[in-house]
Amino acid sequence: MLQALIFDVDGTLADTEKDGHRVAFNLAFKEAKLDWNWTEALYGELLAVTGGKERMARYIDRYLEDFSVPVDLAEFIAALHKRKTHYYVQLMQAGEIPLRPGVERVLREARDAGLRMAIATTTTPENVTWLLKSTLGAESIDWFEVIAAGDIVEKKKPAPDIFIYALEQLGLEADVCIAFEDSRNGILSSTGANLKTIVTTNDYTLEDDFSQAVLVLDQMGEQNNPAKVLSGSMSSTYLNIESIKQLHATA
Ligand code: XBP
Ligand code: MG
């Protein structure tokens, strides 16, 4: 029997990457007088690495030829990342990024159905709480029994550690839970923790390999805004708790 839903955040609950994280990185670079500019296309490449600090480290290592690397690179990156988080939180506070279609409804239906909920994400914890606060109100933070985020585990997605941590905190086995993801790194992480996984794609992840997913949709959708099934099958025209329970039971 299905007991809990475990959600990724970036790309799954909201389209935060292009107009959120990317913009915040660029603001932090500008403030630090770095002439780095992460375009939408470049950011798509950089998303191969999860974690903002790890992403900057990859950029310095692979994309910059003439950059004189600071003696304490980790400290340099951590300071830059702190400013990036500051700008990202500002964007959330301004309510710049809405939840994706169907997300709020699925969360509310899950609560009404008595399902437990958790979050498993690579992003910084305060980014998650501010997204929830700005879209659903401060009380929504308590809808999630566990918010597993950021540096709480050593190895970020695609490693399964963050989902394993969320399961441990819930005190549940993977087979009574289902995960929601949007990316290849995400599904590698969730299925690595033995979780059945429903994927909603976005512009950055449309071409990713989701062969391990129990269902791939373009969005959760709504009654008046149907989801497109990209792989697998669903009995309803949009994702609801009944269809999630059915997928969990049969997939
Ligand atoms: C999200 C990420 C994060 C954010 C940046 O991946 O990769 O790195 O882009 O967040 P997922 P921070 O959706 O798979 O969890 O800068 O706070 O690390
Ligand atoms: Mg994601």
Side-chain angles (χ1 to χ4, degrees), residues 129-164:
T129 47
W130 273 108
L131 174 71
L132 293 175
K133 262 192 214 177
S134 79
T135 54
L136 296 168
E139 66 282 359
S140 65
I141 295 166
D142 296 332
W143 298 0
F144 300 90
E145 275 180 54
V146 183
I147 297 185
D151 298 326
I152 204 159
V153 290
E154 202 188 314
K155 283 194 240 136
K156 292 185 177 163
K157 298 174 189 178
D161 305 33
I162 196 75
F163 279 100
I164 293 171

Side-chain angles (χ1 to χ4, degrees), residues 151-250:
D151 298 326
I152 204 159
V153 290
E154 202 188 314
K155 283 194 240 136
K156 292 185 177 163
K157 298 174 189 178
D161 305 33
I162 196 75
F163 279 100
I164 293 171
Y165 177 88
L167 287 169
E168 280 168 3
Q169 295 294 307
L170 286 168
L172 293 175
E173 297 294 331
D175 60 359
V176 294
C177 303
I178 197 158
F180 296 82
E181 270 292 353
D182 73 301
S183 69
R184 174 76 181 151
N185 280 327
I187 197 171
L188 284 172
S189 176
S190 59
T191 56
N194 293 322
L195 284 156
K196 287 178 182 169
T197 304
I198 294 172
V199 167
T200 45
T201 60
N202 58 60
D203 286 350
Y204 276 132
T205 66
L206 204 54
E207 304 295 322
D208 284 7
D209 174 4
F210 292 122
S211 47
Q212 290 157 292
V214 297
L215 176 70
V216 184
L217 301 172
D218 68 333
Q219 58 170 351
M220 292 185 187
E222 294 286 11
Q223 196 160 22
N224 61 0
N225 179 14
K228 200 184 286 169
V229 177
L230 304 173
S231 144
S233 67
M234 178 170 74
S235 49
S236 47
T237 56
Y238 57 96
L239 195 69
N240 57 24
I241 292 302
E242 263 334 292
S243 47
I244 293 169
K245 280 186 175 167
Q246 245 176 45
L247 278 159
H248 178 260
T250 55

Side-chain angles (χ1 to χ4, degrees), residues 79-141:
L80 207 47
H81 189 251
K82 210 166 167 189
R83 295 305 294 160
K84 177 261 167 176
T85 299
H86 164 82
Y87 285 117
Y88 183 84
V89 166
Q90 267 190 353
L91 291 172
M92 295 300 112
Q93 287 169 337
E96 292 286 323
I97 313 259
L99 296 178
R100 294 190 66 190
V103 168
E104 175 168 356
R105 179 184 47 74
V106 165
L107 296 177
R108 291 189 185 279
E109 283 180 12
R111 275 170 61 71
D112 292 343
L115 290 166
R116 300 169 65 190
M117 297 199 287
I119 277 173
T121 174
T122 30
T123 203
T124 304
E126 60 198 287
N127 296 349
V128 182
T129 47
W130 273 108
L131 174 71
L132 293 175
K133 262 192 214 177
S134 79
T135 54
L136 296 168
E139 66 282 359
S140 65
I141 295 166

